[in-house]
Amino acid sequence: MTTHAPTTAFVLTAIGDDRPGLVAALAAAVDEHGGNWVDSQLALLAGKFAGIVQVDVPDERAQSFLDALSVLADEVGLDVEATAAGAPIDAAPHSALRLHLLGQDRTGMVREVSSALRSQGATIDGLRSWTREAPEGGGMLFEAEAEVRLPADADEDGVREALETIAAELMVELELDAPE
């Protein structure tokens, strides 16, 4: 029987000017302290590398791990903040929707959609958005994809109605369906 040492879960946020080796440096710090890279989302935005990473580190090495993170800024130009992970997501029954939005770019779109979701008790588990040129010189388009979690007692039709109302006001195309 194998026993596992107690671990501390951290959520790391990292940002730095994009260049080769940033992920490798962060992964090395995790590995050198006996840590486990659990989950991550990494992206290149406006010339900056940005990421969020969940790691588990043995309790007895947690402080030395945090110390090692602080030197990554000087060594490779990666600023990393560590926060103790929160409680696991409530496993209560829920339903999920995948949202896709496309329309002319204008200010306030994310605010309007997220407010409509909040009004229905929905939680955004993931959101990716971007802009792109519209065909034939039609200006800029805004596009977003989101994974939305609804509480068990949520009225899915009510959520759809709230989002369709916003889509009509914003004059955007909105697709809602079950996640794949």
Side-chain angles (χ1 to χ4, degrees):
M1 177 177 192
T2 306
T3 59
H4 297 284
T7 60
T8 301
F10 291 105
V11 174
L12 311 177
T13 55
I15 191 165
D17 291 331
D18 185 44
R19 69 178 198 73
L22 296 178
V23 175
L26 184 56
V30 173
D31 187 56
E32 289 167 3
H33 292 86
N36 183 36
W37 188 292
V38 177
D39 198 359
S40 62
Q41 292 186 23
L42 311 172
L44 178 62
L45 297 169
K48 294 285 187 183
F49 166 81
I52 185 165
V53 181
Q54 179 187 348
V55 299
D56 292 336
V57 179
D59 286 351
E60 70 274 2
R61 301 186 75 186
Q63 188 57 54
S64 63
F65 171 67
L66 295 174
D67 295 341
L69 293 179
S70 67
V71 301
L72 288 177
D74 292 332
E75 290 180 355
V76 297
L78 186 64
D79 291 314
V80 182
E81 287 190 31
T83 305
I89 292 175
D90 182 10
H94 67 277
S95 59
L97 291 173
R98 188 183 62 80
L99 177 145
H100 182 257
L101 181 130
L102 175 65
Q104 287 296 126
D105 187 30
R106 71 170 197 70
T107 60
M109 294 176 85
V110 173
R111 179 181 182 182
E112 295 290 333
V113 171
S114 61
S115 293
L117 290 168
R118 181 189 69 219
S119 75
Q120 300 298 311
T123 300
I124 298 172
D125 286 340
L127 171 67
R128 182 171 185 278
S129 65
W130 60 98
T131 57
R132 61 182 167 97
E133 290 283 335
E136 302 176 20
M140 292 298 289
L141 294 175
F142 176 82
E143 193 163 358
E145 295 176 342
E147 295 111 36
V148 178
R149 182 171 22 104
L150 308 176
D153 61 350
D155 174 18
E156 191 171 313
D157 290 334
V159 173
R160 287 180 185 279
E161 185 177 312
L163 289 170
E164 288 168 358
T165 299
I166 294 297
E169 290 172 8
L170 297 174
M171 295 185 291
V172 297
E173 294 176 26
L174 177 72
E175 297 174 23
L176 287 169
D177 53 39
E180 299 173 355

